[in-house]
Amino acid sequence: MGKQVSISVIRRLPRYYRFLGELLRGGVHRISSRELSGKMGLTASQIRQDLNCFGGFGQQGYGYNVEALFHEIGRILGMDQNYKTILVGVGNLGRAVANHMTFDGRGYRLVGLFDNNPDILGETVRGLPIRPVDELEQFCIEEKPDVAILCTPREATKEVVNRLVALGVRGFWNYSPHYDIALNHPGVAVENVHLGDSLMTLCYKVKDLDDPEGDRG
Amino acid sequence: MGKQVSISVIRRLPRYYRFLGELLRGGVHRISSRELSGKMGLTASQIRQDLNCFGGFGQQGYGYNVEALFHEIGRILGMDQNYKTILVGVGNLGRAVANHMTFDGRGYRLVGLFDNNPDILGETVRGLPIRPVDELEQFCIEEKPDVAILCTPREATKEVVNRLVALGVRGFWNYSPHYDIALNHPGVAVENVHLGDSLMTLCYKVKDLDDPEGDRG
DNA sequence: TAGATTGTTAATCGATTAACAATC
DNA sequence: TAGATTGTTAATCGATTAACAATC
């Protein structure tokens, strides 16, 4: 019944999770919203508001139990899930993502890799063979993956997404800026990682540091 | 005089830039805020508000000239800058970032790579040799880089940032979640790319799709 | 001129912050 | 019990949307 939790709140959860994990490793057992607000650069009010979207995890006069809260937030984020995940596009970026990220125990399990480059077919990354994109249908009908990571080049993304949505994939971790999945498939979950956009934003910020207001003055 | 443009607006600019680039390549010469709003999934009102933070680029009764607006937004974002950029941490991820991204003509110029792994020192990526992190001071005093890309491992980030800030680096494209630069160095420009956070957010979204409201309901 | 569409002001909506009673 | 700190309601602030006069 409680109303839909806003995306702003959701996006802060991983950061809470990180800070609490750090505290936990540092042997801190309890923390107040005030202390945590100091460490994270937020207001104590916001922290309490955020957490109370999901339940009353604290105790008056005491604060929050670090370990309990850490696990609660993990559970809220779905770290206890086990979403079967495939990666499409095993170039520079796809390879780095596959090798660099922890999937196991963080809600995901990597089960398949796909690429069209004949030179790398059969090669293994993280113990998984790279398969031709042609085999997507066969593989997905058998394995029923939940999530796809997209590191596909310009022209491939749109078609791959359409095929995957038809095959029941309902979450996309999308590195390809060339096709707006959320716009075209309103029913699926999408997280875009648009590195180019981020780099441009940084460029603006640096410029703004040097010359606030720019030409406008 | 005009008040500070909000980060929400800034973050939409690269997306406008992408859509306008696409229209331009497609041979579209003019577009109204209404048409563009349809294509981008925004309101026409928001587009006009956003653009008018920087100036009146349109014409009543006509709309916007696609090419002119594209270039204006590029200039606002600083695509005409030429920030000297170094990359620290040339592992899986750093390598992919160096190889995958376009820096030239997008406001940046990659001038140096640094890593501590002795096995890869001297290797070249994108025509640049990988140097030991020890040489950071010497290099930065000579080259005076503006921006650093951080793909450093857990324990390295904090120290590297402190050294770089002292050396005059004032923009950070940060892939390392282990140290909050903005919190510790309020005067510099920071864009965080926290892939782990994004992956967790996706996990929540997928879970929420399957079971809206979760346990709370 | 008439029609279209901007630039801009006003209204609405949502998110953040402040305040405080409840309670451990 | 007294002190601390939460959970929650109310106030503020900022961002988005709507409306419309200006103007091409």
Side-chain angles (χ1 to χ4, degrees), chain B residues 73-112:
Chain B
I73 294 178
R75 199 187 48 76
I76 293 163
L77 283 167
M79 300 292 92
D80 55 343
Q81 303 292 316
N82 193 26
Y83 293 124
K84 281 192 181 182
T85 302
I86 63 173
L87 185 150
V88 187
V90 197
N92 281 321
L93 189 60
R95 217 169 273 253
V97 169
N99 282 313
H100 185 265
M101 299 303 295
T102 306
F103 296 101
D104 272 49
R106 311 201 116 222
Y108 300 91
R109 182 157 48 95
L110 199 57
V111 296

Short mmCIF file of all heavy atoms in Angstrom, two decimals, chain B residues 73-112:
data_model
loop_
_atom_site.label_atom_id
_atom_site.label_comp_id
_atom_site.label_asym_id
_atom_site.label_seq_id
_atom_site.Cartn_x
_atom_site.Cartn_y
_atom_site.Cartn_z
N ILE B 73 24.94 23.33 -28.30
CA ILE B 73 25.00 22.45 -27.14
C ILE B 73 26.40 21.87 -26.98
O ILE B 73 26.93 21.77 -25.88
CB ILE B 73 23.93 21.34 -27.22
CG1 ILE B 73 22.54 21.98 -27.12
CG2 ILE B 73 24.11 20.32 -26.11
CD1 ILE B 73 21.39 21.01 -27.23
N GLY B 74 27.02 21.53 -28.10
CA GLY B 74 28.41 21.06 -28.06
C GLY B 74 29.32 22.09 -27.41
O GLY B 74 30.14 21.77 -26.55
N ARG B 75 29.13 23.33 -27.78
CA ARG B 75 29.95 24.40 -27.22
C ARG B 75 29.67 24.58 -25.73
O ARG B 75 30.59 24.75 -24.92
CB ARG B 75 29.66 25.71 -27.98
CG ARG B 75 30.72 26.79 -27.85
CD ARG B 75 30.25 28.09 -28.48
NE ARG B 75 28.90 28.43 -28.05
CZ ARG B 75 28.58 28.93 -26.85
NH1 ARG B 75 29.51 29.17 -25.96
NH2 ARG B 75 27.32 29.19 -26.55
N ILE B 76 28.39 24.52 -25.36
CA ILE B 76 28.03 24.63 -23.94
C ILE B 76 28.69 23.52 -23.13
O ILE B 76 29.21 23.74 -22.04
CB ILE B 76 26.49 24.57 -23.76
CG1 ILE B 76 25.85 25.81 -24.36
CG2 ILE B 76 26.13 24.43 -22.29
CD1 ILE B 76 24.35 25.67 -24.60
N LEU B 77 28.68 22.31 -23.69
CA LEU B 77 29.27 21.17 -22.98
C LEU B 77 30.80 21.24 -22.95
O LEU B 77 31.44 20.58 -22.14
CB LEU B 77 28.83 19.86 -23.64
CG LEU B 77 27.42 19.39 -23.32
CD1 LEU B 77 26.99 18.28 -24.26
CD2 LEU B 77 27.33 18.92 -21.88
N GLY B 78 31.36 22.04 -23.83
CA GLY B 78 32.82 22.17 -23.85
C GLY B 78 33.51 21.23 -24.81
O GLY B 78 34.69 20.91 -24.65
N MET B 79 32.78 20.78 -25.85
CA MET B 79 33.38 19.87 -26.82
C MET B 79 34.52 20.54 -27.60
O MET B 79 35.29 19.88 -28.27
CB MET B 79 32.32 19.36 -27.82
CG MET B 79 31.16 18.59 -27.21
SD MET B 79 31.60 16.99 -26.51
CE MET B 79 31.95 17.43 -24.81
N ASP B 80 34.59 21.88 -27.50
CA ASP B 80 35.66 22.61 -28.19
C ASP B 80 36.87 22.83 -27.28
O ASP B 80 37.84 23.46 -27.67
CB ASP B 80 35.12 23.95 -28.69
CG ASP B 80 34.50 24.77 -27.56
OD1 ASP B 80 34.21 24.20 -26.49
OD2 ASP B 80 34.31 25.99 -27.75
N GLN B 81 36.80 22.31 -26.07
CA GLN B 81 37.97 22.41 -25.18
C GLN B 81 38.98 21.34 -25.59
O GLN B 81 38.72 20.54 -26.50
CB GLN B 81 37.55 22.19 -23.72
CG GLN B 81 36.48 23.15 -23.23
CD GLN B 81 36.95 24.57 -23.13
OE1 GLN B 81 38.03 24.83 -22.63
NE2 GLN B 81 36.16 25.51 -23.63
N ASN B 82 40.08 21.32 -24.89
CA ASN B 82 41.13 20.36 -25.24
C ASN B 82 41.89 20.00 -23.97
O ASN B 82 43.08 20.22 -23.84
CB ASN B 82 42.05 21.00 -26.29
CG ASN B 82 42.97 19.97 -26.93
OD1 ASN B 82 42.64 18.79 -26.98
ND2 ASN B 82 44.12 20.42 -27.38
N TYR B 83 41.16 19.45 -23.01
CA TYR B 83 41.74 19.18 -21.70
C TYR B 83 42.75 18.03 -21.74
O TYR B 83 42.41 16.91 -22.14
CB TYR B 83 40.63 18.86 -20.69
CG TYR B 83 39.73 20.04 -20.39
CD1 TYR B 83 38.35 19.95 -20.57
CD2 TYR B 83 40.26 21.25 -19.93
CE1 TYR B 83 37.53 21.03 -20.29
CE2 TYR B 83 39.44 22.33 -19.67
CZ TYR B 83 38.08 22.22 -19.85
OH TYR B 83 37.26 23.29 -19.58
N LYS B 84 43.94 18.32 -21.31
CA LYS B 84 44.95 17.27 -21.21
C LYS B 84 44.53 16.27 -20.14
O LYS B 84 44.23 16.66 -19.01
CB LYS B 84 46.29 17.88 -20.82
CG LYS B 84 47.04 18.53 -21.96
CD LYS B 84 48.47 18.81 -21.51
CE LYS B 84 49.28 19.49 -22.59
NZ LYS B 84 50.67 19.70 -22.10
N THR B 85 44.55 15.01 -20.50
CA THR B 85 43.97 13.99 -19.65
C THR B 85 44.92 12.82 -19.44
O THR B 85 45.55 12.36 -20.39
CB THR B 85 42.67 13.48 -20.30
OG1 THR B 85 41.79 14.59 -20.49
CG2 THR B 85 41.99 12.43 -19.45
N ILE B 86 45.01 12.37 -18.19
CA ILE B 86 45.79 11.16 -17.91
C ILE B 86 44.86 10.08 -17.36
O ILE B 86 43.76 10.37 -16.86
CB ILE B 86 46.93 11.42 -16.91
CG1 ILE B 86 46.37 11.86 -15.55
CG2 ILE B 86 47.90 12.45 -17.46
CD1 ILE B 86 47.41 11.98 -14.47
N LEU B 87 45.28 8.84 -17.52
CA LEU B 87 44.52 7.72 -16.98
C LEU B 87 45.39 6.97 -15.98
O LEU B 87 46.52 6.61 -16.30
CB LEU B 87 44.07 6.81 -18.12
CG LEU B 87 43.15 5.63 -17.76
CD1 LEU B 87 42.24 5.31 -18.94
CD2 LEU B 87 43.91 4.39 -17.37
N VAL B 88 44.85 6.75 -14.79
CA VAL B 88 45.60 6.02 -13.76
C VAL B 88 44.89 4.71 -13.47
O VAL B 88 43.70 4.71 -13.11
CB VAL B 88 45.74 6.86 -12.47
CG1 VAL B 88 46.68 6.15 -11.49
CG2 VAL B 88 46.24 8.26 -12.76
N GLY B 89 45.63 3.62 -13.63
CA GLY B 89 45.05 2.29 -13.42
C GLY B 89 44.69 1.65 -14.75
O GLY B 89 43.57 1.80 -15.25
N VAL B 90 45.65 0.95 -15.36
CA VAL B 90 45.45 0.42 -16.71
C VAL B 90 45.19 -1.09 -16.64
O VAL B 90 45.86 -1.88 -17.30
CB VAL B 90 46.64 0.76 -17.63
CG1 VAL B 90 46.23 0.58 -19.10
CG2 VAL B 90 47.10 2.20 -17.42
N GLY B 91 44.25 -1.48 -15.81
CA GLY B 91 43.80 -2.88 -15.77
C GLY B 91 42.75 -3.12 -16.84
O GLY B 91 42.66 -2.37 -17.81
N ASN B 92 41.95 -4.17 -16.63
CA ASN B 92 40.85 -4.48 -17.54
C ASN B 92 40.05 -3.24 -17.91
O ASN B 92 39.84 -2.92 -19.08
CB ASN B 92 39.83 -5.39 -16.84
CG ASN B 92 40.28 -6.82 -16.81
OD1 ASN B 92 40.85 -7.30 -17.78
ND2 ASN B 92 40.05 -7.49 -15.68
N LEU B 93 39.59 -2.58 -16.85
CA LEU B 93 38.65 -1.49 -17.03
C LEU B 93 39.32 -0.27 -17.65
O LEU B 93 38.82 0.29 -18.63
CB LEU B 93 38.04 -1.13 -15.67
CG LEU B 93 36.89 -0.15 -15.71
CD1 LEU B 93 35.74 -0.69 -16.54
CD2 LEU B 93 36.43 0.16 -14.29
N GLY B 94 40.47 0.12 -17.11
CA GLY B 94 41.18 1.28 -17.62
C GLY B 94 41.51 1.14 -19.10
O GLY B 94 41.35 2.06 -19.89
N ARG B 95 41.96 -0.05 -19.45
CA ARG B 95 42.29 -0.36 -20.83
C ARG B 95 41.06 -0.21 -21.74
O ARG B 95 41.13 0.40 -22.80
CB ARG B 95 42.76 -1.80 -20.89
CG ARG B 95 43.87 -2.10 -21.83
CD ARG B 95 44.38 -3.51 -21.56
NE ARG B 95 45.40 -3.49 -20.52
CZ ARG B 95 46.70 -3.68 -20.79
NH1 ARG B 95 47.08 -3.89 -22.03
NH2 ARG B 95 47.59 -3.64 -19.82
N ALA B 96 39.94 -0.76 -21.28
CA ALA B 96 38.71 -0.67 -22.07
C ALA B 96 38.27 0.78 -22.23
O ALA B 96 37.89 1.21 -23.31
CB ALA B 96 37.59 -1.49 -21.40
N VAL B 97 38.37 1.54 -21.16
CA VAL B 97 38.00 2.96 -21.22
C VAL B 97 38.89 3.69 -22.22
O VAL B 97 38.41 4.42 -23.09
CB VAL B 97 38.08 3.61 -19.83
CG1 VAL B 97 37.97 5.13 -19.93
CG2 VAL B 97 36.98 3.06 -18.92
N ALA B 98 40.20 3.46 -22.12
CA ALA B 98 41.14 4.13 -23.03
C ALA B 98 40.85 3.76 -24.48
O ALA B 98 40.84 4.61 -25.36
CB ALA B 98 42.57 3.76 -22.67
N ASN B 99 40.60 2.47 -24.71
CA ASN B 99 40.40 2.02 -26.09
C ASN B 99 39.00 2.33 -26.63
O ASN B 99 38.82 2.54 -27.82
CB ASN B 99 40.63 0.51 -26.17
CG ASN B 99 42.10 0.17 -26.20
OD1 ASN B 99 42.87 0.77 -26.93
ND2 ASN B 99 42.48 -0.77 -25.34
N HIS B 100 38.03 2.34 -25.76
CA HIS B 100 36.64 2.42 -26.19
C HIS B 100 36.16 3.84 -26.43
O HIS B 100 35.33 4.10 -27.29
CB HIS B 100 35.75 1.71 -25.17
CG HIS B 100 34.33 1.61 -25.56
ND1 HIS B 100 33.39 2.53 -25.16
CD2 HIS B 100 33.68 0.73 -26.34
CE1 HIS B 100 32.23 2.20 -25.67
NE2 HIS B 100 32.36 1.12 -26.40
N MET B 101 36.69 4.78 -25.63
CA MET B 101 36.15 6.13 -25.69
C MET B 101 36.85 6.99 -26.74
O MET B 101 38.03 6.84 -27.01
CB MET B 101 36.31 6.82 -24.33
CG MET B 101 35.58 6.15 -23.19
SD MET B 101 33.82 5.99 -23.50
CE MET B 101 33.32 7.71 -23.54
N THR B 102 36.08 7.91 -27.27
CA THR B 102 36.63 8.95 -28.13
C THR B 102 36.95 10.16 -27.25
O THR B 102 36.08 10.67 -26.56
CB THR B 102 35.58 9.38 -29.18
OG1 THR B 102 35.14 8.21 -29.86
CG2 THR B 102 36.17 10.37 -30.16
N PHE B 103 38.20 10.59 -27.25
CA PHE B 103 38.56 11.76 -26.46
C PHE B 103 38.80 12.97 -27.35
O PHE B 103 38.31 14.06 -27.07
CB PHE B 103 39.81 11.46 -25.62
CG PHE B 103 39.59 10.39 -24.59
CD1 PHE B 103 40.03 9.10 -24.79
CD2 PHE B 103 38.92 10.68 -23.41
CE1 PHE B 103 39.83 8.11 -23.84
CE2 PHE B 103 38.70 9.71 -22.46
CZ PHE B 103 39.15 8.41 -22.67
N ASP B 104 39.52 12.74 -28.45
CA ASP B 104 39.84 13.83 -29.37
C ASP B 104 38.57 14.41 -29.97
O ASP B 104 37.71 13.68 -30.46
CB ASP B 104 40.74 13.32 -30.49
CG ASP B 104 42.20 13.42 -30.10
OD1 ASP B 104 42.53 12.96 -29.00
OD2 ASP B 104 42.99 13.97 -30.89
N GLY B 105 38.50 15.72 -29.96
CA GLY B 105 37.34 16.38 -30.55
C GLY B 105 36.12 16.32 -29.66
O GLY B 105 35.04 16.75 -30.05
N ARG B 106 36.28 15.76 -28.47
CA ARG B 106 35.17 15.76 -27.53
C ARG B 106 35.57 16.47 -26.24
O ARG B 106 35.03 16.21 -25.18
CB ARG B 106 34.70 14.32 -27.23
CG ARG B 106 34.47 13.48 -28.48
CD ARG B 106 33.55 12.31 -28.19
NE ARG B 106 32.30 12.42 -28.93
CZ ARG B 106 31.09 12.14 -28.43
NH1 ARG B 106 30.96 11.79 -27.16
NH2 ARG B 106 30.01 12.25 -29.17
N GLY B 107 36.56 17.33 -26.36
CA GLY B 107 36.96 18.14 -25.23
C GLY B 107 38.21 17.66 -24.50
O GLY B 107 38.70 18.35 -23.60
N TYR B 108 38.71 16.49 -24.90
CA TYR B 108 39.83 15.90 -24.16
C TYR B 108 40.97 15.51 -25.10
O TYR B 108 40.77 15.31 -26.30
CB TYR B 108 39.37 14.64 -23.43
CG TYR B 108 38.27 14.88 -22.42
CD1 TYR B 108 36.93 14.78 -22.79
CD2 TYR B 108 38.57 15.20 -21.11
CE1 TYR B 108 35.91 15.00 -21.86
CE2 TYR B 108 37.57 15.41 -20.17
CZ TYR B 108 36.24 15.31 -20.55
OH TYR B 108 35.25 15.52 -19.64
N ARG B 109 42.15 15.38 -24.51
CA ARG B 109 43.27 14.78 -25.22
C ARG B 109 44.03 13.90 -24.24
O ARG B 109 44.50 14.37 -23.21
CB ARG B 109 44.18 15.87 -25.79
CG ARG B 109 45.36 15.35 -26.60
CD ARG B 109 45.86 16.42 -27.57
NE ARG B 109 46.03 17.69 -26.87
CZ ARG B 109 47.18 18.12 -26.35
NH1 ARG B 109 48.28 17.41 -26.46
NH2 ARG B 109 47.24 19.29 -25.74
N LEU B 110 44.09 12.61 -24.54
CA LEU B 110 44.76 11.66 -23.66
C LEU B 110 46.26 11.81 -23.82
O LEU B 110 46.78 11.69 -24.93
CB LEU B 110 44.30 10.24 -24.02
CG LEU B 110 44.49 9.14 -22.99
CD1 LEU B 110 43.80 9.47 -21.68
CD2 LEU B 110 43.94 7.82 -23.54
N VAL B 111 46.96 12.08 -22.71
CA VAL B 111 48.40 12.34 -22.83
C VAL B 111 49.27 11.42 -21.98
O VAL B 111 50.49 11.40 -22.15
CB VAL B 111 48.74 13.81 -22.46
CG1 VAL B 111 48.09 14.78 -23.44
CG2 VAL B 111 48.32 14.14 -21.02
N GLY B 112 48.68 10.64 -21.07
CA GLY B 112 49.54 9.78 -20.25
C GLY B 112 48.78 8.66 -19.57
O GLY B 112 47.60 8.82 -19.24
#
